[in-house]
Amino acid sequence: MTGETLSNGSSSVNGASQLANVKRWPNGWLQVKVPLPMALKYVNAYVVPEPQGGYTVIDPGLNTPEAVAAWNEVLLQAGIRDEEIVRIVLTHQHPDHYGLAGLLQQRSGAPVWMSELSHRYALRMWGEQRELGAQLVAVFERHGMPAELCQGIADNLESFVARVSPQPEVTYMEAGKPFRFGGIDWTTIDAPGHANGHILFYDAASRIIVCGDQVMPDITPNVSIVPGELDDPLGAFLASLHELGRLDVALAFPGHREPFEDFTQRCDELIRHHERRLDKMVQLLAEQEDRSATGFEMCELLFGTRQRTNMHNLRFAMAETLAHLVYMEKQGRIELTEQDGHAVYRAK
């Protein structure tokens, strides 16, 4: 099943040409590729027509001038007025999905729906207290990251506040309870690992799943240690993939890249990817002097020193490295020790 490209029109923001790339799928959904100022290039938002009139918007994107311009163009070309948006649904709280929800809510008056766990994260990261960023940096420091890089990550996290503002007034949906949009009572699935509180939407009749960032066709979702969230995010992610792989899915609508059909196969591929990485990390650890390394040393063994020039990528690499180390320690494959005030992992 493929979609039909509707337009590749351009608009101008500060003199720069912006591309609004939209596809209409056979079920009537619009896939809007909302631009991102990062390596992923765009995030998928979905505009879902409602049988009684109006539209549901799923994951509107990051609040940047380029994204706002793209939405203005898309809505104009599709003939959709702001007030026809009746519902905004967020699969999860990461800024490239959550960031424009508040502005779109102001423009449309529509309720914003997300899980309570996802919203708690958003408040901890970007609310008035904003304690999560400092807690994450403290974790990185404990695991050996140099102070100047920790400060760079703290600054990078703070830069996202403007890109998720204004923040929405939120109504909570709960995994396991049906949630209706587009004329369908969707089965809601808790899918932890990539994001605590991540909710997927599955319809057994049409065999469609809206899978956010949990399963994507050619990207491995980031799985990170986040203070105050899951103790073992990789373990939760792998368990989720085993469960999701049992679903009968004909078409998956992901948060990035194109909708795809081989959902079960992709779940299996992701599991195998992480199994290979875990084996590689055990081998790398055994090859080090004293058969040990800090989390930061392991991060650079895996991802290289080039990540030091990009704080956004370094944060992802470091937090994902720690998620794998925590998983292996809990599985008894490696040991966690203390040395000179830092956490150190040692091969058995």
Side-chain angles (χ1 to χ4, degrees):
M1 185 183 295
T2 59
E4 173 191 3
T5 299
L6 295 186
S7 66
N8 282 314
S10 64
S11 58
S12 179
V13 179
N14 298 327
S17 178
Q18 305 300 324
L19 190 67
N21 192 329
V22 184
K23 287 184 178 180
R24 187 186 302 277
W25 287 83
N27 60 0
W29 292 19
L30 297 183
Q31 173 196 359
V32 181
K33 296 181 179 180
V34 184
L36 293 172
M38 52 192 69
L40 286 173
K41 304 299 184 186
Y42 67 86
V43 61
N44 287 325
Y46 298 102
V47 181
V48 180
E50 294 294 341
Q52 307 304 319
Y55 300 86
T56 291
V57 172
I58 303 173
D59 290 350
L62 192 65
N63 190 353
T64 66
E66 294 79 10
V68 172
W71 270 113
N72 289 340
E73 179 181 348
V74 167
L75 296 177
L76 178 64
Q77 291 183 355
I80 300 173
R81 302 186 307 276
D82 288 346
E83 57 270 24
E84 290 182 284
I85 298 171
V86 298
R87 185 183 299 103
I88 301 161
V89 176
L90 303 177
T91 59
H92 64 294
Q93 70 277 22
H94 289 162
D96 54 330
H97 299 255
Y98 170 91
L100 262 173
L103 180 61
L104 197 58
Q105 182 178 56
Q106 286 187 354
R107 288 174 50 164
S108 65
V112 172
W113 291 84
M114 66 191 304
S115 73
E116 186 173 3
L117 286 175
S118 287
H119 190 223
R120 184 188 71 174
Y121 173 104
L123 294 178
R124 293 180 63 216
M125 182 64 82
W126 304 299
E128 292 183 5
Q129 301 300 319
R130 293 213 287 275
E131 84 277 8
L132 182 52
Q135 292 173 356
L136 183 61
V137 167
V139 170
F140 287 178
E141 287 177 338
R142 178 172 180 265
H143 287 274
M145 181 176 283
E148 66 274 13
L149 295 178
C150 286
Q151 184 59 53
I153 284 177
D155 294 342
N156 176 259
L157 287 169
E158 186 67 18
S159 74
F160 277 92
V161 174
R163 298 175 178 181
V164 299
S165 299
Q167 295 195 48
E169 295 291 328
V170 170
T171 305
Y172 294 142
M173 57 183 170
E174 184 176 344
K177 294 186 177 180
F179 188 84
R180 187 172 183 82
F181 63 84
I184 294 173
D185 289 318
W186 296 86
T187 298
T188 55
I189 302 170
D190 178 39
H194 174 70
N196 202 15
H198 196 317
I199 288 184
L200 278 55
F201 302 92
Y202 174 66
D203 177 47
S206 64
R207 301 165 61 216
I208 287 175
I209 192 166
V210 180
C211 50
D213 286 359
Q214 192 77 349
V215 184
M216 294 178 285
D218 56 1
I219 302 175
T220 303
N222 178 260
V223 180
S224 291
I225 281 291
V226 179
E229 302 288 318
L230 294 172
D231 291 335
D232 182 11
L234 181 58
F237 183 66
L238 294 174
S240 171
L241 291 177
H242 281 291
E243 292 295 326
L244 292 172
R246 299 188 181 102
L247 297 177
D248 181 15
V249 173
L251 184 62
F253 287 93
H256 302 275
R257 301 297 195 260
E258 295 298 326
F260 62 103
E261 297 176 350
D262 53 346
F263 184 81
T264 296
Q265 177 183 334
R266 185 57 183 154
C267 290
D268 291 340
E269 289 172 354
L270 289 169
I271 292 168
R272 290 195 299 272
H273 163 83
H274 286 285
E275 289 174 344
R276 290 192 299 269
R277 175 171 288 178
L278 291 165
D279 290 342
K280 179 180 179 180
M281 291 174 72
V282 170
Q283 179 181 350
L284 285 171
L285 200 56
E287 292 171 353
Q288 302 312 300
E289 185 177 356
D290 297 329
R291 295 170 58 84
S292 65
T294 66
F296 182 70
E297 288 168 342
M298 180 58 72
C299 176
E300 294 207 323
L301 287 170
L302 283 172
F303 298 103
T305 59
R306 67 186 182 278
Q307 304 299 336
R308 294 186 179 214
T309 63
N310 185 313
M311 294 299 102
H312 183 76
N313 290 347
L314 178 60
R315 172 168 58 91
F316 275 31
M318 180 67 174
E320 176 146 330
T321 299
L322 293 180
H324 284 72
L325 289 169
V326 165
Y327 178 82
M328 289 191 294
E329 192 269 333
K330 288 181 178 294
Q331 295 291 312
R333 297 183 69 180
I334 61 176
E335 295 178 335
L336 173 62
T337 62
E338 290 282 337
Q339 183 176 320
D340 300 326
H342 288 136
V344 175
Y345 289 92
R346 189 178 304 279
K348 287 191 170 182

